[in-house]
Amino acid sequence: MPITLLWAVDVYGRVYSLSTAGQRWERADDMLLELKRVTAGKGRCWGIGCDHHAYLNMMPSETPIRYREETYENQRWNPVDSFTDTLLPTDRWPWSDVTGMNPQPLHSFELPSRSWEWEGDWYVDQTCGGEPSQTGGWEYAVDFPANFSPDKKWNSCVRRRRWIRYRRYIAQGTWAKISLDNPRKPPLPLCDISCGGWEMSDQSGRYPYLWGVTQQGQVWFREGIHPRVPEGSSWEEVDVPKEVAQLSAGPGDLLWAVLWDGNLLVRTGLSLDSPTGTSWTEVESPVKEAEVAHVAVGVSVVWVVTKDYKVWFRRGVNSHNPCGSGWISIGGEMIMVDVGLNDQVWAVGEDRGLYFRMSVTSSEPSGNGWIPVSAQWGSSKEIIPPRKRHAAGGQLKQVSQGAILSCSDSDSELGPADPPHNTSDTPVLEAAAPSVVPLGGADTPTPPHEKTEEPPSSSQQDAPRAFIPASDSFINSLISDRDKAPTPQPSITEEGEDPSPAPILPTPEAAGQDVPWMNVDLEGAEAARSAQAGGGLSSVDSGACATYSLGSLETSQGVGDEDGPVWTWISGGGCDVDASSQISWLSPTGPLTSSLSLTPVQSTAWSEQQRQEHRDEISKKPLERSHSVWVRKGALRWWRDWKPQRWVDVGVALEQSTKSDGRKDSIFFVYYMQYDEKKYLHVFIHEVTALVPVLRDGLYAFAVYTAQRTRQRWPLVLAAQSEKDMNEWLSLLSDCCCECRGIASPPSRHALWSTTCKGDIMVHEPSFALEATAHTPPCDLMFWRQVPGHLQCVESNSLGLVWGIGWDGTAWAYSGHYGQQLTSAGDAVESHQQTDVRSVHVYENQRWNPMTGYTDKGLPTDRPMWSDESGLKECTKGSTHPPSPQWSWVSEWTVDYNVTGGTDKEGWQYAADFPVTFHGHKTIKDFVRRRRWTRKCKITLKAPWKQVPPIALSDISLMPCLTQSRMDQVPVWALSDKGDVLCRLGVSSQNPAGSSWLHVGTDQPFKSISIGGASQVWAIAKDGAVFYRGSVSLQNPAGECWYHIPSPPRQTLKQLSVGRTSVFAVDENGNLWYRQGLTPSYPQGSAWELISNNVTKVSVGPLDQVWIIADGVPGFTAETPGAVCHRVGVGPMQPKGQSWDYGIGGGWEHISVRGNSVEAPRAPHPPQAGPPRSPLLAPPPAQANGNAVGV
C-alpha cells in the first residue's frame, strides 16, 4: 500500500499531516502559515488561508512537473525580401498560437506564479510532425490557414516554425499561494473549497476538479487543472439558485452543497464533457428542527452533520441517483465529517478530537462505530487520545466563561480592539462554550481520592489574558450559529435521548453586546496555561465553559505550541486506507472495538475509565446504538419492456438500513443508461409483493412485483448470468422482504398455496381481514413468497397438511415446519431430494399439395411449419430448450401418440385448415395435418417434500377443516394418472404421507375430485359427467355408492372444488358454475348457475371463500395467461359473491385456499336504540305484592 497522508487543521490555523507509515503528526514547515480548512486529493492538498486565498501543496515525487510553453513564428514571402515577418493585414499575427488567432510574442510569456521557474531559454523546434527536419524547423504552406509540410514548393507563400520553452514547478512539498488575479472576473474572498472528480467516469488517475465558495454564497469552479498545470488556470462562476455556505465534491460525479438556510443542493449532470454540471436539485435537511451545518460526499456516499452535532447518512446515493432516497441517523456527535478515499469517513468530534469510522466497506458503507485517531504529538512518545485532558493532581482545570474574538476579514496580525471600545460594524455575538462537559464535572461522581478545587479568587478572575491570533477569526465561519439552550450536555448520551448543546455564558466585558460565535475558548485556554504556569488553579461553576490543558508538543514554537492541537478540520481525500488496513494509529482497543457506535464524549469517557480503572461504574452506562447501512451490489440484465424491447445490462444494488431498535428497511436499485444518460429505477422492499422466477428466453430470470406493478401488469424482470447468481439474489431479496414484513417462520397452517406454470411454489400468509365481508384488502397487496420445491399443483388444509403433485404425477407431502420460529439447528426444515419430469412439445405442420401430397411448404398465411400448439410462435426441435436452465434433457425427440382427438399410426392429426379442430383420421376435406413431438426433461433439487409412493396421481384433495377442528385422521382423496379413484388412509399431522391407498370402485375413469366439509365427495369423469359419493364418513372413508349429477346444459366440466356448504365447477370453455340447492338433507343440490367466464381453476375454502386462476386480466391481453383472483362479497347470505378482485398474474397455474380458516373477528352487536322493532307482543307485567313490576 502506498504511503499517503492524512491532513488536519487546528484552531490556530496550523496544518498537520499524518503518514500512514508513521506514528507522529508533522506540522507544516511554514510556521507562519495559517489555514482555515484543507481539502486533500491524490498527491495534493488545497487549503484556504486567512487571507481568503487558495493554497496548494503538491506531494514531492521523482517525476518533475514541467510545462511546455510554445508559440509560432509566422512569415510571408514577397518578391523583394523573400520570407519576412511583414504580413498582410488579413494574415495572422507574426507571433501567435497554433491557430493564429491569438498573438503570442516571446516577451509576453510570464511565469504564472512564484512556484514556477524557467528551465532554459527559447529554442526552435527542429522537428516537423515528429520527424527530424533539415529546414531549421520551418513548415511551408500555400496560405494561412492551410496544411503545413516541411517541403518547400514553388507555391509556398507562407511558413511558420515553433518556439519552445519549458517551465518547472518548484513548489512541491510546500504550500504555494494561488493568486485570485486572472483576466476574468476574480471570485470574491473564498470561505470553502473542495476537490474531487479524479475518478469521474471510471477514469481513475485524472487530476481533480476544484470547487470554491465565496463569503457571498457564490460557487466557483477552477479551470485548467491537469498534470502539467496543478494550479489550474482560471476561475469560472457557476450559477446557484440560493446562497451556498459549504460544499463537497466526491472523487466521482457527486457534488453537494449546504445552503445558508440549512438545506442542501445537489449538482446533477456532472461528466467529463460537462465538468460543472447542468442543474441543481434541492434536498431538505434530515430534520426540520436542526439545519445542516456540514456535508461530505464520496464516490457513492453522502454524510452530513446538523447543527445539533448529529451525523446523518444519505441512502441510495449513486452516480445514477445523485440525490439519494432518504436519511439515516448515525451515532456520534461531530462538528464536521470528511469522506476520503475508498469512502472512508473521518470526523472532528465535539470534543475537538479526530475520529475514524471503522468497518466502512462497499457492502457496509455506513460502518459500525467510531474510533479515535491516536497518534503521537511532536517529539513526545506518548500516544494521546483525541482530546487528552491534562490534570494536575487528578483535577481538570476550568477557567473563563467566554472570550471575544474579532470578526474582521483583515489580513492584519494585530489583535482585536478592546470590546467596550469596539467600533467595528460587524455584529458581535457572545462566545459559545465548548460542547464537551468533562467527566468528573456535575454529571460524574467525584472519585473519593480527588478533592474539589476551591473557587478562584477575584484577582485570578480579573487577571488580563494574553491574546492569541485566531487566524482571522476563521472559527466564526465554521459553525454560523448554535442553539442557545442553557441545559448542560451529559458526559455520555443515554440511548434514546437527544443531547442538548452546551450552555452559553456571556462574559462580563460583553454584557449586553453580541459576541461572535466560535468553537473553542482560545483566550480562555491561554489564560488556563498562564495560570497553570504560575501555579494557580482556577475553577468556576460546573455549568461554565471548560478548557483542558493538553500534552506537550513542541516547546519552542510560540504561544500554545506546547500543547496538542485542538482540531477543527480534517481531510482524508489523500489518505489511502480501508477497513482492512493495518495502521498503527487506527488500532481500536478496549470498549471501542464494540459494534456499537460511540460518541466522541463516550470515547473519551472510556479512555478515562481505563486510566482511572472505574470499569464497573462507567460500564453500566448505556451506549447509543448506531443505525447501519448494508449494501449488496451486482450486475444483472433487465428486460426493457418498451420499444425497442431488449435485454439491457444494468447494475443493481440492494441497500438495507438497520435502525437502533433492530427494524430494517431496504431499497432495491436498478441503474441503467439510456441515450448516454444515467437513469435508475428503485423499488422499496416493503412494497414488493412477489419474487417469481419466470421463463424468458432461456435465461435465469425472475420478476419483481409491487402493488402498483401488479395493477399495471408491468413487473420488473431481471436475469442473472448463472443459476447460482439468480438463487442468491432471490434468496437475498426474499429474506429482506420477510424481515420488513416480520415474517420469520415457515408457512403457517392457514397459508394460501399456489404454483406457477414454471412449477415454483408460492405461499401467502392470510390476515383476518382477507375474507371479511367488508373492507377486504385488495389482492394486489398480497405478499407471496417462494417455498423450495417444484410441483404442478398443491392442496392443503388448516391442520397443516399439504400435498402436491409433480408434472410426472409423483405425489409429495410437505415435511416442513408450520408457523414456529426456527431457533436451533435441530429445528431446520427437513429437506429431501425432489425430482420432477415434464415433457416439452413442438408441432410439425404440413399442407396438402395436389402434386406432391402433404409437404412442409405452406401458404404465406399459414403458421410456421414447426410451431407451438397455438401456431403463433415458431419452435423447431433444434431451437427448443428446456423450460429453464435448471432443467436438463433426459430423452430424445419422439412422436407423441397420446394427443387429444387421437392420431393415425404415424402420429398425424388432420383438419380442413389452420386453426380448426383436429382429428385422428384423414378425410377427403382435410388439407392440413400436424403431429406432436415430445421430449422429456428433468429437474433435481433439495426441498422439504417427502415422496408418497408408489402410484402416479393426476388430482388430489384434502378435506378442509375449521380452525377449532380436531381430527385424528384426515380424509385424502386422489385420482391416479389412469383415472382411478383412491382414498389415502392414515393421514395425520404426525404422519402427513399416510400409510396406504384404498381403491374406490368406478365404472369409468375420472379427471377431477374434491372433498368438502362434512365429507362431501364430488368428482368429474373424463367424459364430463358429475358424480357425488354417498355415505362417506370418518368411520366409512370410502363411502357406499356414486350418484350421478347432471352437468350444465351443453357444457363439459373439467374441474371442481367443494367447500363447507358450496360447490363450484369450471367447464372446458372457462365458465365458472355454482351448484344451487345444497342442503344437509339433499347434498346433491338442484341446479347449476353460471357465475362468470375467463376461469381455468377454482378453489373453495373451508369458509366457502372462492378463489380462481383467471385465464387473463381484462384490458391486458399481452399478459401471460394465469392470474390469481378473489371473489369479493361471499357470505352466508350471498354464497355466489358479487365481483372479482384481480391480483398477481402472468403464468400462475394453480391455487389452494383450503387451509385458510381464519375468520375476521365479529364486532359486538350495538345495543338497540329506541323501542324494539319485533312484532311480538310485550310480555304482561308480573305482580309483586300487588304491584306491577316489569320483567
Side-chain angles (χ1 to χ4, degrees):
M1 184 178 68
I3 299 176
T4 54
L5 297 179
L6 175 68
W7 295 87
V9 181
D10 68 2
V11 294
Y12 295 97
R14 297 174 296 195
V15 183
Y16 295 85
S17 62
L18 178 60
S19 171
T20 54
Q23 298 181 356
R24 180 178 295 107
W25 286 99
E26 301 290 343
R27 185 178 173 185
D29 295 335
D30 188 356
M31 296 301 176
L32 299 179
L33 177 69
E34 292 184 359
L35 297 182
K36 294 184 177 183
R37 55 185 65 178
V38 294
T39 175
K42 288 187 175 180
R44 69 192 58 224
C45 185
W46 297 79
I48 296 181
C50 296
D51 55 358
H52 304 292
H53 281 261
Y55 288 78
L56 172 63
N57 189 332
M58 291 292 300
M59 300 298 103
S61 63
E62 298 179 356
T63 303
I65 300 176
R66 302 170 69 237
Y67 184 78
R68 184 179 66 191
E69 298 282 10
E70 61 181 31
T71 186
Y72 284 83
E73 179 184 4
N74 306 304
Q75 291 184 354
R76 176 174 286 276
W77 181 88
N78 65 60
V80 178
D81 300 324
S82 185
F83 283 98
T84 177
D85 57 1
T86 302
L87 305 178
L88 298 177
T90 58
D91 282 343
R92 59 182 59 186
W93 302 90
W95 294 87
S96 69
D97 60 1
V98 66
T99 65
M101 303 300 294
N102 302 312
Q104 289 187 168
L106 296 180
H107 60 80
S108 65
F109 288 87
E110 297 180 356
L111 293 174
S113 66
R114 297 180 180 179
S115 302
W116 296 86
E117 69 175 8
W118 295 111
E119 285 193 340
D121 203 353
W122 290 97
Y123 66 92
V124 176
D125 183 10
Q126 299 291 335
T127 64
C128 295
E131 297 293 334
S133 173
Q134 304 298 326
T135 62
W138 290 105
E139 296 178 309
Y140 298 88
V142 177
D143 200 354
F144 299 117
N147 294 326
F148 288 85
S149 67
D151 300 328
K152 180 181 179 182
K153 301 178 182 180
W154 65 271
N155 60 349
S156 299
C157 298
V158 296
R159 68 178 182 178
R160 72 176 184 182
R161 63 180 175 180
R162 182 172 63 173
W163 291 75
I164 295 176
R165 191 179 190 185
Y166 284 92
R167 53 183 167 93
R168 181 167 55 92
Y169 190 77
I170 59 174
Q172 287 182 293
T174 62
W175 287 95
K177 182 177 181 180
I178 308 300
S179 175
L180 295 181
D181 299 331
N182 57 76
R184 300 185 183 181
K185 174 186 175 183
L188 296 171
L190 296 174
C191 65
D192 186 43
I193 57 174
S194 179
C195 67
W198 59 82
E199 294 183 359
M200 187 176 294
S201 298
D202 298 330
Q203 296 194 13
S204 179
R206 282 187 56 88
Y207 271 54
Y209 300 131
L210 183 68
W211 296 79
V213 178
T214 67
Q215 290 184 341
Q216 282 71 28
Q218 300 171 338
V219 174
W220 291 77
F221 175 77
R222 185 71 174 173
E223 294 180 326
I225 298 178
H226 59 81
R228 295 185 301 275
V229 186
E231 300 170 311
S233 57
S234 61
W235 291 95
E236 176 188 355
E237 185 176 1
V238 179
D239 293 333
V240 288
K242 298 181 180 180
E243 292 83 358
V244 174
Q246 183 257 332
L247 57 71
S248 176
D253 50 5
L254 292 183
L255 178 69
W256 283 56
V258 179
L259 298 174
W260 285 4
D261 60 8
N263 286 341
L264 296 137
L265 279 182
V266 183
R267 190 64 172 172
T268 58
L270 292 172
S271 65
L272 289 176
D273 298 330
S274 178
T276 58
T278 57
S279 61
W280 294 96
T281 302
E282 187 170 355
V283 177
E284 292 185 355
S285 173
V287 289
K288 296 181 179 180
E289 295 77 13
E291 299 173 352
V292 175
H294 185 86
V295 64
V297 304
V299 176
S300 58
V301 297
V302 174
W303 295 70
V304 302
V305 177
T306 52
K307 291 185 178 179
D308 57 357
Y309 314 118
K310 297 298 183 183
V311 183
W312 298 82
F313 178 85
R314 186 70 173 176
R315 300 183 56 184
V317 175
N318 187 278
S319 61
H320 294 255
N321 179 25
C323 297
S325 57
W327 294 105
I328 297 175
S329 177
I330 301 295
E333 297 172 358
M334 303 294 171
I335 293 177
M336 62 85 62
V337 294
D338 183 75
V339 180
L341 298 178
N342 307 315
D343 283 344
Q344 302 300 306
V345 183
W346 310 83
V348 177
E350 198 182 8
D351 61 348
R352 297 295 171 175
L354 300 183
Y355 293 88
F356 175 73
R357 188 73 175 174
M358 60 182 179
S359 301
V360 173
T361 61
S362 58
S363 61
E364 192 173 358
S366 65
N368 59 18
W370 297 100
I371 58 175
V373 178
S374 301
Q376 298 176 6
W377 306 120
S379 58
S380 173
K381 300 300 182 182
E382 180 184 1
I383 297 179
I384 305 176
R387 290 289 296 116
K388 176 180 177 182
R389 293 177 288 263
H390 179 73
Q395 290 285 355
L396 298 176
K397 312 316 184 278
Q398 296 182 345
V399 292
S400 66
Q401 298 176 341
I404 300 177
L405 296 179
S406 171
C407 287
S408 170
D409 291 335
S410 172
D411 296 337
S412 173
E413 297 296 332
L414 298 177
D418 188 60
H421 306 284
N422 188 2
T423 60
S424 174
D425 295 335
T426 305
V428 182
L429 309 175
E430 62 177 344
S435 54
V436 177
V437 177
L439 298 176
D443 296 327
T444 305
T446 303
H449 62 278
E450 295 185 359
K451 296 182 180 180
T452 305
E453 297 182 2
E454 296 295 333
S457 62
S458 59
S459 60
Q460 291 174 334
Q461 292 180 350
D462 299 336
R465 294 171 292 182
F467 171 73
I468 302 174
S471 302
D472 197 21
S473 302
F474 72 92
I475 22 189
N476 182 38
S477 64
L478 293 180
I479 297 179
S480 59
D481 66 345
R482 299 285 172 85
D483 296 335
K484 300 182 180 182
T487 306
Q489 181 180 353
S491 58
I492 295 183
T493 305
E494 299 292 338
E495 184 175 359
E497 295 181 357
D498 293 327
S500 303
I504 300 171
L505 302 175
T507 61
E509 300 86 0
Q513 299 184 15
D514 292 334
V515 183
W517 294 101
M518 62 183 185
N519 296 332
V520 176
D521 186 1
L522 301 181
E523 299 184 44
E526 178 59 23
R529 301 186 187 104
S530 302
Q532 181 181 358
L537 297 177
S538 61
S539 176
V540 294
D541 185 86
S542 61
C545 153
T547 57
Y548 313 127
S549 300
L550 306 175
S552 62
L553 176 63
E554 299 177 25
T555 59
S556 60
Q557 294 184 359
V559 180
D561 286 352
E562 70 276 5
D563 297 323
V566 181
W567 300 113
T568 186
W569 201 265
I570 187 172
S571 179
C575 189
D576 190 6
V577 300
D578 53 36
S580 60
S581 300
Q582 300 296 326
I583 307 297
S584 59
W585 38 269
L586 285 181
S587 299
T589 57
L592 292 176
T593 59
S594 170
S595 62
L596 302 180
S597 176
L598 304 179
T599 65
V601 181
Q602 295 166 358
S603 302
T604 309
W606 284 115
S607 302
E608 291 292 334
Q609 168 198 356
Q610 291 179 342
R611 292 192 295 268
Q612 299 175 6
E613 298 182 355
H614 293 322
R615 301 178 183 271
D616 296 337
E617 176 182 352
I618 303 183
S619 62
K620 296 179 182 180
K621 299 185 178 182
L623 302 178
E624 180 182 355
R625 292 185 176 270
S626 170
H627 295 199
S628 63
V629 177
W630 174 87
V631 177
R632 166 70 185 274
K633 299 180 180 179
L636 296 175
R637 302 184 71 187
W638 165 54
W639 176 252
R640 190 178 65 186
D641 46 4
W642 63 76
K643 294 182 179 180
Q645 296 180 339
R646 61 185 180 91
W647 288 101
V648 179
D649 293 331
V650 298
V652 296
L654 176 63
E655 183 181 282
Q656 183 182 78
S657 65
T658 304
K659 300 182 179 180
S660 57
D661 57 2
R663 292 185 293 113
K664 297 182 178 181
D665 184 23
S666 305
I667 307 177
F668 184 63
F669 295 92
V670 177
Y671 304 108
Y672 66 98
M673 298 288 294
Q674 183 177 4
Y675 304 115
D676 297 331
E677 183 180 358
K678 296 179 179 179
K679 294 189 175 183
Y680 75 99
L681 302 172
H682 72 279
V683 177
F684 294 100
I685 293 298
H686 69 270
E687 296 179 355
V688 173
T689 56
L691 299 164
V692 186
V694 295
L695 303 175
R696 190 67 64 90
D697 299 336
L699 300 175
Y700 299 95
F702 62 95
V704 180
Y705 285 86
T706 62
Q708 182 180 3
R709 290 182 175 272
T710 299
R711 289 190 293 269
Q712 297 175 348
R713 306 295 152 181
W714 190 21
L716 180 65
V717 181
L718 301 167
Q721 296 294 329
S722 64
E723 179 183 1
K724 179 181 178 182
D725 290 343
M726 184 188 73
N727 291 336
E728 286 181 354
W729 277 106
L730 279 176
S731 176
L732 189 61
L733 292 172
S734 180
D735 290 345
C736 290
C737 291
C738 292
E739 287 178 349
C740 290
R741 297 175 180 269
I743 301 176
S745 60
S748 67
R749 302 175 185 270
H750 304 286
L752 278 66
W753 294 74
S754 183
T755 59
T756 67
C757 61
K758 187 176 175 291
D760 298 301
I761 307 167
M762 311 299 294
V763 173
H764 169 71
E765 297 295 337
S767 62
F768 287 101
L770 184 60
E771 301 300 339
T773 56
H775 308 292
T776 304
C779 282
D780 50 39
L781 296 178
M782 298 174 61
F783 172 66
W784 296 89
R785 54 176 171 148
Q786 188 176 0
V787 172
H790 189 276
L791 297 172
Q792 183 180 19
C793 67
V794 63
E795 288 291 334
S796 64
N797 77 347
S798 59
L799 297 181
L801 298 175
V802 183
W803 279 51
I805 301 176
W807 289 85
D808 57 358
T810 304
W812 301 87
Y814 183 68
S815 59
H817 296 262
Y818 294 94
Q820 66 269 30
Q821 178 74 30
L822 302 182
T823 57
S824 65
D827 292 337
V829 176
E830 181 182 2
S831 297
H832 308 274
Q833 180 174 340
Q834 184 182 17
T835 61
D836 200 1
V837 178
R838 65 183 302 178
S839 297
V840 178
H841 307 296
V842 298
Y843 285 82
E844 180 184 4
N845 307 302
Q846 292 185 352
R847 177 172 286 276
W848 184 81
N849 186 298
M851 302 298 295
T852 59
Y854 284 100
T855 177
D856 58 359
K857 305 296 183 181
L859 298 177
T861 56
D862 280 345
R863 60 179 62 186
M865 293 298 100
W866 289 89
S867 69
D868 59 359
E869 184 177 7
S870 66
L872 300 177
K873 181 180 180 182
E874 183 177 8
C875 299
T876 65
K877 290 191 290 185
S879 63
T880 302
H881 302 283
S884 67
Q886 293 97 324
W887 294 79
S888 60
W889 295 118
V890 292
S891 70
E892 297 297 330
W893 289 103
T894 58
V895 176
D896 187 5
Y897 297 93
N898 187 20
V899 183
T900 303
T903 66
D904 63 8
K905 61 181 180 179
E906 295 181 352
W908 292 103
Q909 290 183 302
Y910 299 87
D913 201 353
F914 300 118
V916 293
T917 303
F918 286 85
H919 46 267
H921 58 279
K922 183 182 180 304
T923 65
I924 194 173
K925 296 181 180 180
D926 293 331
F927 295 98
V928 297
R929 68 177 182 177
R930 73 175 185 181
R931 63 178 171 182
R932 188 168 73 178
W933 293 77
T934 184
R935 191 177 186 183
K936 292 183 178 180
C937 55
K938 182 178 181 180
I939 187 173
T940 303
L941 66 161
K942 287 286 187 179
W945 297 91
K946 184 177 181 181
Q947 185 176 354
V948 181
I951 302 175
L953 304 181
S954 63
D955 196 12
I956 191 76
S957 180
L958 286 71
M959 191 175 83
C961 308
L962 297 178
T963 304
Q964 63 274 16
S965 299
R966 297 292 181 269
M967 302 179 66
D968 295 334
Q969 293 189 3
V970 179
V972 177
W973 288 68
L975 298 179
S976 70
D977 58 349
K978 298 180 180 179
D980 297 329
V981 179
L982 304 172
C983 181
R984 188 68 173 177
L985 303 179
V987 177
S988 64
S989 300
Q990 292 74 28
N991 183 23
S995 56
S996 61
W997 289 106
L998 175 64
H999 182 269
V1000 179
T1002 60
D1003 57 357
Q1004 57 179 319
F1006 284 17
K1007 62 181 178 182
S1008 178
I1009 194 167
S1010 179
I1011 179 172
S1015 300
Q1016 307 174 71
V1017 179
W1018 290 63
I1020 300 177
K1022 287 191 174 182
D1023 61 0
V1026 183
F1027 292 89
Y1028 170 80
R1029 186 68 175 176
S1031 303
V1032 177
S1033 64
L1034 296 178
Q1035 294 74 24
N1036 185 19
E1040 297 293 341
C1041 61
W1042 293 102
Y1043 295 91
H1044 181 265
I1045 307 296
S1047 300
R1050 296 181 299 277
Q1051 299 295 334
T1052 302
L1053 300 181
K1054 66 175 184 179
Q1055 186 256 336
L1056 55 73
S1057 182
V1058 184
R1060 182 167 58 178
T1061 61
S1062 61
V1063 177
F1064 286 81
V1066 180
D1067 63 25
E1068 294 181 349
N1069 294 322
N1071 298 316
L1072 180 65
W1073 298 86
Y1074 168 71
R1075 187 64 177 176
Q1076 296 179 339
L1078 269 69
T1079 62
S1081 58
Y1082 191 68
Q1084 297 90 342
S1086 57
W1088 292 100
E1089 180 181 353
L1090 179 63
I1091 301 299
S1092 176
N1093 57 4
N1094 190 37
V1095 180
T1096 59
K1097 291 284 183 69
V1098 63
S1099 179
V1100 183
L1103 305 177
D1104 286 335
Q1105 64 267 42
V1106 181
W1107 291 70
I1108 64 169
I1109 298 295
D1111 187 53
V1113 179
F1116 298 92
T1117 56
E1119 186 182 34
T1120 305
V1124 175
C1125 196
H1126 181 206
R1127 189 67 174 175
V1128 180
V1130 175
M1133 305 302 296
Q1134 186 72 21
K1136 297 175 291 184
Q1138 299 174 352
S1139 61
W1140 294 110
D1141 180 19
Y1142 289 88
I1144 191 170
W1148 291 65
E1149 181 79 15
H1150 183 88
I1151 188 169
S1152 174
V1153 298
R1154 300 170 66 81
N1156 181 21
S1157 59
V1158 179
E1159 297 185 74
R1162 299 177 181 179
H1165 294 286
Q1168 187 174 7
R1173 295 183 296 174
S1174 173
L1176 297 180
L1177 298 177
Q1183 299 290 327
N1185 296 329
N1187 297 321
V1189 179
V1191 178

